[in-house]
């Protein structure tokens, strides 16, 4: 564990998914010094890690936007105010700092798994479903990075390859559909007869060039310095060997809120309970995005954006009660994105 420099900001955002990135913009717009922390090595949360190449159709004013483009636009929007990104580090502890003698609100000291300490006036937790980890395929796990992957970051990486995809959910079927036009071959291996993916997607796949193998599992993998082939065991007892330079394991993922549960905020069924101002039960800690819960909650990117605006503006008035809750209209601001310093990495 290395020790990093401590930093001090007005607002710390925990989670760099869509909600966290938009919160970074909102915080900058309010004139706050903002840091964003995420345990993943790149920003974008679920969108960047799980479906960067998919088209999203239900973000307001964007009839269809590719996941990675949405994330890039969010980053560039927030960059207007130069937030500090702390990536590849998990926020593990949060402790209140005794209120100052001038009667100002208490601050928070957030610690990370890399030994960093962030002194902040308020926190917005945009931790989504928590830290998520792909479900492994033990028979081939050793090939991770040499042919086996859990996410398709760039379709082009699999162009011209013999691709084997394992899984029966939406991700597995979507990757098969997306890759069949550019891969040398695509085989989908699912251990059951019935798919969990949308029926229409499975129907579309059956019309294409993808080979679908059901009631079967990948039980071995082989190659030299890179994966070359996989062994498939069928429920009939038969075994076949398939050429495979790319093995995409799409068996879903496990999510874990982990350390957030020790922060003294109310968590029910792995969601943070908030009020209409996105306040948690701890003064100065707010939440937004998938991680929040309240009556009528809908877990969508667009909802997270609205919650981030609420959380940050309420946090701004917590930090300075003289401020108005409404941030004013961006159209009236003198914001000149190109002229403002770009974001930095701590
Ligand atoms: C395959 C798929 C397709 C989807 N399609 C759509 C769609 O079409 N439209 C739509 O609106 N929604 C869609 N969603 C849902 C959408 O992706 C989520 O609603 C959205 O990502 C939630 O954003 P968020 O910022 O709240 O959380 P996330 O995107 O989950 O980001 C949370 C981030 O917090 C980080 N984190 C958690 N705990 C900590 C910690 N202690 N320290 C540091 N970092 C931490 C995580 O690493 C993660 O990066 C889809 C989801 C999936 C899986």
């Amino acid at each position: 564990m290395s020790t990093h420099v401590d930093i001090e900001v007005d607002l710390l955002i925990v989670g760099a998914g869509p909600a966290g990135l938009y919160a970074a913009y909102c915080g900058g717009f309010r004139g706050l010094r903002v840091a964003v922390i995420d345990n993943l090595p790149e920003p974008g949360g679920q969108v960047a890690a799980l479906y960067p190449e998919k088209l999203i159709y239900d973000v307001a004013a964007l009839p269809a936007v590719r996941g990675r483009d949405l994330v890039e636009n969010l980053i560039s929007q927030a960059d207007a105010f130069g937030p500090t990104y702390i990536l590849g580090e998990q926020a593990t502890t949060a402790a209140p700092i005794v209120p100052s003698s001038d009667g100002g609100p208490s601050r928070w000291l957030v610690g990370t798994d890399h030994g960093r300490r962030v002194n902040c006036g308020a926190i917005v937790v945009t931790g989504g479903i928590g830290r998520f980890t792909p479900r492994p395929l033990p028979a081939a796990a050793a090939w991770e990075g040499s042919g086996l992957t859990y996410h398709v970051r760039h379709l082009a990486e699999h162009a011209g390859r013999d691709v084997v995809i394992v899984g029966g959910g939406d991700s597995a079927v979507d990757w098969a559909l997306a890759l069949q036009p550019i891969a040398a071959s695509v085989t989908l291996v699912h251990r059951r007869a019935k798919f969990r993916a949308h029926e229409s997607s499975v129907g579309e796949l059956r019309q294409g060039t993808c080979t679908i193998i059901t009631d079967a599992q990948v039980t071995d993998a082989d190659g030299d310095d890179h994966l070359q082939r996989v062994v498939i065991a069928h429920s009939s007892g038969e075994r076949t060997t398939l050429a495979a330079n790319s093995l995409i394991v799409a068996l879903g993922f496990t999510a874990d809120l982990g350390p957030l549960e020790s922060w003294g905020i109310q968590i029910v069924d792995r969601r943070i309970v908030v009020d209409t101002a996105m306040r948690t039960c701890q003064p100065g800690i707010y939440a937004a995005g998938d991680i929040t819960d309240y009556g009528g909650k809908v877990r969508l990117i667009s909802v997270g954006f609205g919650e981030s605006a609420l959380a940050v503006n309420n946090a701004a008035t917590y930090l300075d009660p003289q401020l108005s809750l409404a941030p004013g209209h961006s159209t009236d601001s003198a914001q000149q994105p190109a002229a403002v310093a770009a974001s930095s990495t701590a």
Side-chain angles (χ1 to χ4, degrees):
M1 181 183 289
S2 61
T3 303
H4 288 273
V5 285
D6 296 348
I7 60 167
E8 185 173 327
V9 289
D10 301 316
L11 185 65
L12 176 67
I13 294 162
V14 178
L21 292 172
Y22 188 59
Y25 167 79
C26 295
F29 187 73
R30 292 298 315 231
L32 302 175
R33 293 170 303 154
V34 175
V36 188
I37 184 166
D38 202 300
N39 51 257
L40 294 177
E42 57 180 310
Q46 292 176 55
V47 182
L50 302 178
Y51 58 104
E53 295 284 353
K54 285 183 83 164
L55 287 172
I56 306 168
Y57 299 98
D58 55 354
V59 177
L62 297 172
V65 59
R66 201 165 295 284
R68 78 169 62 258
D69 295 334
L70 179 75
V71 170
E72 273 170 23
N73 282 337
L74 285 163
I75 293 169
S76 115
Q77 191 176 25
D79 272 358
F81 302 107
T84 298
Y85 288 99
I86 305 167
L87 298 173
E89 289 185 37
Q90 185 179 29
T92 48
T93 55
I97 302 171
V98 179
S100 55
S101 52
D102 65 6
S106 57
R107 296 179 64 85
W108 288 90
L109 194 62
V110 173
T112 79
D113 59 351
H114 283 53
R116 190 194 301 273
R117 293 185 307 171
V118 183
N119 180 323
C120 54
I123 303 170
V124 176
V125 183
T126 48
I129 48 178
R131 186 178 59 170
F132 45 93
T133 318
R135 286 208 173 85
L137 178 67
W143 293 95
E144 184 173 359
S146 307
L148 181 150
T149 182
Y150 295 99
H151 313 294
V152 177
R153 296 201 191 282
H154 298 279
L155 290 174
E157 287 169 7
H158 304 277
R161 290 185 167 194
D162 292 308
V163 177
V164 173
I165 301 173
V166 182
D170 282 316
S171 296
V173 172
D174 287 348
W175 294 132
L177 283 168
L179 287 169
Q180 61 181 13
I182 60 165
S185 69
V186 177
T187 306
L188 181 63
V189 181
H190 181 36
R191 68 193 167 116
R192 303 191 197 286
K194 192 166 165 36
F195 285 88
R196 292 188 317 281
H198 282 121
E199 258 175 51
S200 60
S201 308
V202 179
E204 194 184 332
L205 197 63
R206 291 191 196 284
Q207 307 300 314
T209 55
C210 174
T211 304
I212 300 175
I213 303 177
T214 55
D215 296 307
Q217 296 186 53
V218 170
T219 53
D220 205 357
D222 181 28
D224 36 49
D225 55 341
H226 193 93
L227 179 69
Q228 300 289 342
R229 60 198 79 82
V230 293
V231 176
I232 315 273
H234 302 258
S235 58
S236 60
E238 188 195 347
R239 293 169 90 80
T240 46
T241 300
L242 282 182
N245 331 108
S246 285
L247 177 61
I248 299 168
V249 178
L251 296 172
F253 51 87
T254 53
D256 174 21
L257 283 194
L260 295 179
E261 310 214 56
S262 65
W263 288 16
I265 46 188
Q266 191 187 355
I267 296 180
V268 177
D269 290 338
R270 301 194 301 156
R271 310 285 184 194
I272 298 176
V273 177
V274 289
D275 65 12
T276 54
M278 300 297 126
R279 277 185 290 247
T280 70
C281 60
Q282 286 286 359
I285 304 188
Y286 298 75
D290 272 17
I291 202 164
T292 66
D293 203 23
Y294 50 85
K297 167 78 185 187
V298 175
R299 284 186 180 83
L300 284 176
I301 293 166
S302 53
V303 174
F305 288 161
E307 292 177 2
S308 291
L310 281 173
V312 170
N313 286 296
N314 280 283
T317 59
Y318 168 82
L319 291 167
D320 181 355
Q322 305 298 319
L323 287 180
S324 81
L325 180 57
H329 293 148
S330 66
T331 44
D332 296 331
S333 77
Q335 182 190 330
Q336 296 287 336
V340 184
S343 64
S344 60
T345 303

